[in-house]
């Protein structure tokens, strides 16, 4: 991976992060000793199958763990500031303004009874104390930036009046609104068809590069990772089993699980068929 200049700390540094999930009175370790960094302006991909701990890891960086989940140990530092243990009031100065998130399902991320324009403008009203007319101007500019056509008229549309791809563009506009330093995209293209997936990913990359933002992409799609990331962390059963540059991991995978993921991805040419990984991930309550 690219060496960092001496004395220049990473934007985000996660060290020894472990997350427990309480079920039936028992604490189950769902994320175990995860460590990685995200450099300024770079993109890290966290990959792995469902249940590997990817989403819990990403939610911990915004203090949004579900009620039964808690950080058992470890550190999350953003620009050198420890995030573990922050109060809810402290988190409000982080979320959206310094770290923002693009969620997997835009319909659940958007309020169905408020127009999309108002939902974008609300970011400026609540955090920048802008008056409504100025906030609307900023929201319209963002809608245009993320490729929503006829933004003046569509400002007053509701989420159900947008296609899946356009709803995801609205969510991206909200994430970009306050110019955070880091965007976390949790499976941002899962519910979209292949053509729209490429458009949304290209939009995310372009906007982050144009604004000098870093990004974490949470995905199970190695094709997404190859096109979008600088570094990759492979998660299996709550652990990061391989971590390095995209070139290093894709051309010289070291862990059997990484090799299995590669083999399970079909080639576009159709010359090689996908080989499924046999069996299933171990139960977090009784890992080997």
């Amino acid at each position: 991976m690219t060496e960092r200049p001496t004395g220049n700390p990473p934007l985000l540094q996660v060290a020894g992060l472990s997350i427990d999930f309480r079920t039936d009175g028992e604490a189950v370790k769902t994320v175990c000793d995860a460590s990685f960094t995200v450099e300024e302006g770079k993109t890290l991909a966290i990959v792995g199958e469902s249940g590997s701990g990817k989403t819990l890891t990403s939610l911990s960086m915004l203090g949004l763990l579900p009620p039964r989940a808690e950080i058992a140990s470890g550190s999350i530092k953003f620009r050198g500031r420890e995030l573990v243990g922050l109060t809810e009031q402290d988190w409000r100065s982080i979320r959206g303004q310094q770290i923002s998130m693009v969620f997997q399902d835009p319909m659940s991320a958007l309020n169905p009874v408020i127009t999309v324009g108002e939902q974008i403008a609300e970011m400026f009203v609540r955090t920048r104390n802008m008056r409504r007319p100025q906030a609307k101007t900023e929201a319209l500019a963002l809608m245009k930036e993320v490729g929503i056509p006829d933004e003046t008229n569509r400002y007053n549309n509701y989420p159900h009046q947008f296609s899946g791809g356009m709803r995801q563009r609205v969510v991206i506009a909200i994430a970009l609104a306050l110019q955070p330093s880091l965007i976390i995209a949790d499976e941002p293209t899962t519910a979209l068809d292949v053509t729209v997936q490429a458009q949304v990913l290209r939009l995310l990359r372009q906007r982050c590069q144009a604004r000098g933002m870093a990004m974490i992409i949470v995905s199970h799609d190695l094709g997404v990772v190859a096109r979008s990331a600088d570094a990759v962390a492979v998660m299996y059963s709550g652990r990061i089993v391989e971590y390095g540059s995209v070139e290093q991991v894709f051309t010289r995978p070291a862990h059997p699980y990484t090799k299995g993921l590669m083999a399970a991805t079909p080639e576009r040419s159709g010359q090689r068929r996908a080989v499924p990984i046999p069996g299933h991930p171990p139960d977090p309550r009784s890992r080997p």
Side-chain angles (χ1 to χ4, degrees), residues 47-48 187 189 197 218-227 250 265:
V47 302
E187 302 274 12
T189 61
Q197 282 182 15
V218 178
S219 181
H220 63 271
D221 188 335
L222 292 179
V224 167
V225 173
R227 295 190 299 271
F250 272 66
T265 304

Side-chain angles (χ1 to χ4, degrees), residues 2 10 16 23 27 56 58 79 116 121 138 144 173 176 217 254 277 283:
T2 304
T23 174
L56 277 181
S58 63
R79 295 196 187 281
V116 296
E138 294 287 346
K144 184 175 182 179
L176 293 172
I217 295 179
I277 300 175
D283 188 324

Side-chain angles (χ1 to χ4, degrees), residues 36 60 78-79 83 125 139 146 164 210 279:
F36 55 85
S60 70
F78 181 77
R79 295 196 187 281
L83 302 184
V125 172
V146 300

Side-chain angles (χ1 to χ4, degrees), residues 46-99:
I46 302 177
V47 302
E49 59 197 302
S50 298
S52 62
K54 307 186 306 296
T55 296
L56 277 181
T57 300
S58 63
L59 290 175
S60 70
M61 299 173 217
L62 280 166
L64 293 175
L65 288 174
R68 289 187 293 172
E70 61 182 12
I71 294 177
S73 61
S75 169
I76 305 173
K77 289 184 178 179
F78 181 77
R79 295 196 187 281
R81 180 187 184 185
E82 181 59 67
L83 302 184
V84 176
L86 289 186
T87 64
E88 183 58 30
Q89 184 174 357
D90 290 332
W91 275 116
R92 287 173 189 161
S93 67
I94 301 283
R95 295 186 195 120
Q97 302 185 62
Q98 298 184 56
I99 306 174

Side-chain angles (χ1 to χ4, degrees), residues 110-129:
L110 296 171
N111 191 321
V113 297
I114 300 177
T115 66
V116 296
E118 284 295 323
Q119 293 188 59
I120 300 171
E122 191 70 13
M123 297 291 290
F124 300 105
V125 172
R126 285 183 174 272
T127 60
R128 299 287 190 261
N129 295 318

Side-chain angles (χ1 to χ4, degrees), residues 133-196:
Q134 185 184 1
K136 180 176 180 178
T137 299
E138 294 287 346
L140 287 170
L142 267 175
M143 291 174 73
K144 184 175 182 179
E145 181 179 349
V146 300
I148 297 174
D150 193 19
E151 67 276 5
T152 302
N153 290 322
R154 304 225 69 180
Y155 183 93
N156 294 313
N157 286 168
Y158 291 90
H160 73 270
Q161 295 174 284
F162 280 65
S163 66
M166 284 298 161
R167 283 195 294 265
Q168 196 62 290
R169 288 172 187 264
V170 174
V171 173
I172 290 171
I174 292 172
L176 293 172
L178 304 180
Q179 301 192 34
S181 299
L182 175 65
I183 286 183
I184 301 171
D186 184 10
E187 302 274 12
T189 61
T190 295
L192 308 177
D193 65 50
V194 176
T195 304
V196 179

